[in-house]
Amino acid sequence: SSAVDCAVAIASGRLPASESIEQKALKLVMNILLPKSESLEDAVVDSAIRELEGAADFAVQNYEKIQKANKAAEEAKGEHLKKNPSAPASDEEKEALERVKKPAVLFMALAVRRPEMIKKLLTFGARKHADILAKALRATMSKLTRASATKHGAAAIALQVAEMASDGEVPMLLAFLDNLAPSTDKNLPSDELIEAIQKIQDMKLDAEGNKDPRFIIPVASGMKRAILIEKLPEFVVAKDDVFMAALDRMNDRVQRHALVFRDEPDPENPTMHGMTLCEQLVFLHKLDFAKAGIPQKRYLDVIRLCLEEDEMFTDTVLSAALDYMSGKFLEGDEKLPLAYMRTIILTCSKHESLHSWICHVLLPRLIEGKVYNDRRQWEGWMRCAKMLENTGDSGVSSLKAIQELPEEQLEMYRAKYPQK
């Protein structure tokens, strides 16, 4: 037992040794002691659990020290810089991560053989102030999930781990599920895994009995668009970061089609997966928020959130979505969504690059579709036209579109906004 403890302690980096000795100890544990007998395997597992618990204790004991070091480092570097959440923020955190990473990796290697051990990973990773251990676990989780999925099946291991996880361990469970279907994987998540994830979502309801949309995010890229449309209200009512993470994952496998709204070949039997950025904006605008029990303010807020993420929802994505919706309106197939003109007004303020297109294409098209028959949209049209009537930009003005208004509507416009 002492010999096993010594080997495991060296392999997990707690006892000082050179890197080559650590590697030899790891091979001894995994290739010789573990397969030797059931009693030795049990001894190795018990020792590995103690090492992981020691890592959790270390994380808790050093929590305040690491927090102070991180804060000082962030103030020195400037908080305006976007940081990688998995990267250490300070030298102290980097050193601590190295300390807890080795016992975590050893434990994960053992957990592939004994999936029930994953419960300990969830428990120790969820301990209060064991943040540095949780961070190390998330950073190395992919090795565990890949090996476990290969050995036991992704859907089966997802359900098994979910059944073991308590409410307090949900963040660690989400990290595990996210690594089962990483965005870097070339293949779409399997139908079996998607079905398992949906079962887990049904299993892990919150205190009010509501579904947690975070569970769906890992497999959103592989879900049929028709199902994602049904799930959209769940994402809309979630926290802003969850909502944006969901949109990002939906678009993950269809990024090269960002500007396209795809038509289903057979609407009765939908086959398209994921949701392009253009489609996301269109379906968000068309969302029946009242039917879904979503406050109008939240409906408008999430669209504004998208516009603020201008590296994701660029001017070209915006114009593609607005163009599609206006085209459907002109064809007489659909009304303009409630937020449509508000989005154009916000776009005018944010994207000067689209002023010319709005003035010379979009506003005239809306006149052709008789936008003035809808009081709310007409008010928005007039406000937008006024914003761009005297922009000072060379050759960019809404004046030509205004002059195309029917006589009655032109009088209404000039009564509201007299020409200077």
Side-chain angles (χ1 to χ4, degrees):
S1 177
S2 297
V4 169
D5 288 345
C6 182
V8 172
I10 294 172
S12 61
R14 182 171 61 83
L15 290 182
S18 65
E19 188 174 341
S20 63
I21 295 296
E22 285 183 2
Q23 289 299 316
K24 287 177 182 177
L26 184 60
K27 289 177 181 177
L28 173 65
V29 169
M30 298 302 297
N31 301 336
I32 298 175
L33 297 178
L34 207 60
K36 189 77 172 177
S37 68
E38 189 174 335
S39 61
L40 271 177
E41 182 176 343
D42 290 341
V44 167
V45 168
D46 289 342
S47 185
I49 291 172
R50 288 192 293 272
E51 292 296 336
L52 189 66
E53 186 173 15
D57 292 340
F58 172 86
V60 173
Q61 291 161 8
N62 288 273
Y63 173 77
E64 289 188 10
K65 176 185 172 184
I66 294 168
Q67 290 295 307
K68 286 179 181 177
N70 287 354
K71 185 177 180 182
E74 285 171 9
E75 287 174 354
K77 295 175 184 175
E79 293 183 7
H80 64 283
L81 295 173
K82 286 189 177 180
K83 57 182 182 180
N84 180 354
S86 63
S90 64
D91 291 339
E92 285 81 355
E93 187 177 35
K94 182 179 180 180
E95 187 178 326
L97 275 171
E98 288 301 316
R99 162 67 178 82
V100 301
K101 185 178 178 181
K102 289 175 182 177
V105 170
L106 173 62
F107 195 89
M108 287 180 182
L110 296 171
V112 175
R113 292 170 64 98
R114 291 190 178 186
E116 66 275 8
M117 290 175 63
I118 296 174
K119 170 62 178 173
K120 291 289 185 183
L121 281 177
L122 303 178
T123 302
F124 290 136
R127 269 183 63 179
K128 186 178 180 181
H129 292 161
D131 297 30
I132 199 68
L133 176 60
K135 191 168 187 173
L137 291 173
R138 289 190 180 94
T140 53
M141 189 79 77
S142 60
K143 295 177 182 178
L144 170 63
T145 54
R146 278 199 303 266
S148 297
T150 300
K151 188 173 179 66
H152 308 287
I157 197 67
L159 287 166
Q160 184 177 353
V161 173
E163 287 168 0
M164 292 189 285
S166 67
D167 291 345
E169 295 160 3
V170 163
M172 293 307 303
L173 170 60
L174 288 167
F176 184 87
L177 297 177
D178 192 55
N179 278 281
L180 269 180
S183 59
T184 52
D185 198 333
K186 293 180 180 178
N187 300 315
L188 289 173
S190 67
D191 290 342
E192 292 78 14
L193 179 58
I194 292 172
E195 186 179 343
I197 293 287
Q198 288 178 308
K199 285 181 182 177
I200 292 168
Q201 189 191 34
D202 292 337
M203 185 195 311
K204 299 289 183 182
L205 302 178
D206 65 18
E208 286 77 40
N210 299 317
K211 292 182 179 181
D212 188 337
R214 292 178 297 171
F215 285 107
I216 295 297
I217 293 175
V219 295
S221 64
M223 296 178 76
K224 289 184 178 178
R225 190 181 70 178
I227 297 175
L228 290 173
I229 295 168
E230 294 174 7
K231 294 279 185 186
L232 208 51
E234 293 180 32
F235 296 125
V236 167
V237 297
K239 292 181 179 179
D240 291 355
D241 60 338
V242 175
F243 169 70
M244 292 307 302
L247 297 189
D248 190 43
R249 190 57 73 93
M250 286 181 205
N251 171 61
D252 194 50
R253 307 302 174 85
V254 287
Q255 290 182 21
R256 58 183 173 178
H257 304 298
L259 307 182
V260 179
F261 187 98
R262 302 165 297 164
D263 291 319
E264 288 278 5
D266 180 2
E268 296 298 317
N269 298 289
T271 57
M272 291 181 176
H273 294 86
M275 191 181 290
T276 70
L277 294 178
C278 174
E279 292 165 354
Q280 289 175 16
L281 284 176
V282 171
F283 288 122
L284 282 170
H285 276 82
K286 290 168 62 177
L287 180 66
D288 190 341
F289 59 89
K291 183 179 179 181
I294 298 170
Q296 179 177 314
K297 183 179 184 303
R298 182 58 183 168
Y299 160 73
L300 296 173
D301 281 350
V302 293
I303 293 173
R304 176 185 51 77
L305 269 176
C306 293
L307 301 188
E308 288 174 356
E309 290 290 333
D310 54 10
E311 289 186 10
M312 183 174 175
F313 293 97
T314 62
D315 55 353
T316 51
V317 171
L318 268 172
S319 63
L322 293 170
D323 185 70
Y324 177 84
M325 288 183 277
S326 66
K328 287 294 181 183
F329 169 68
L330 187 59
E331 291 169 10
D333 295 343
E334 300 171 4
K335 290 184 178 180
L336 289 175
L338 176 69
Y340 187 80
M341 286 309 309
R342 178 177 180 270
T343 296
I344 295 177
I345 290 167
L346 291 173
T347 299
C348 285
S349 301
K350 191 170 183 66
H351 294 288
E352 188 177 328
S353 58
L354 294 181
H355 284 186
S356 178
W357 176 74
I358 292 170
C359 289
H360 301 134
V361 177
L362 195 56
L363 292 179
R365 181 185 294 171
L366 295 175
I367 295 172
E368 190 179 346
K370 299 181 180 178
V371 67
Y372 42 79
N373 288 337
D374 183 320
R375 183 187 61 81
R376 185 190 292 267
Q377 303 291 1
W378 171 230
E379 286 288 336
W381 190 99
M382 289 193 289
R383 186 178 167 194
C384 178
K386 175 58 181 173
M387 287 176 70
L388 299 178
E389 187 176 356
N390 299 295
T391 61
D393 297 341
S394 177
V396 178
S397 171
S398 60
L399 185 59
K400 190 169 184 290
I402 294 165
Q403 291 170 342
E404 290 178 12
L405 286 166
E407 186 176 348
E408 181 183 349
Q409 280 70 40
L410 180 57
E411 288 177 4
M412 288 175 65
Y413 177 82
R414 283 304 176 203
K416 191 175 182 70
Y417 300 114
Q419 192 167 15
K420 294 180 180 179

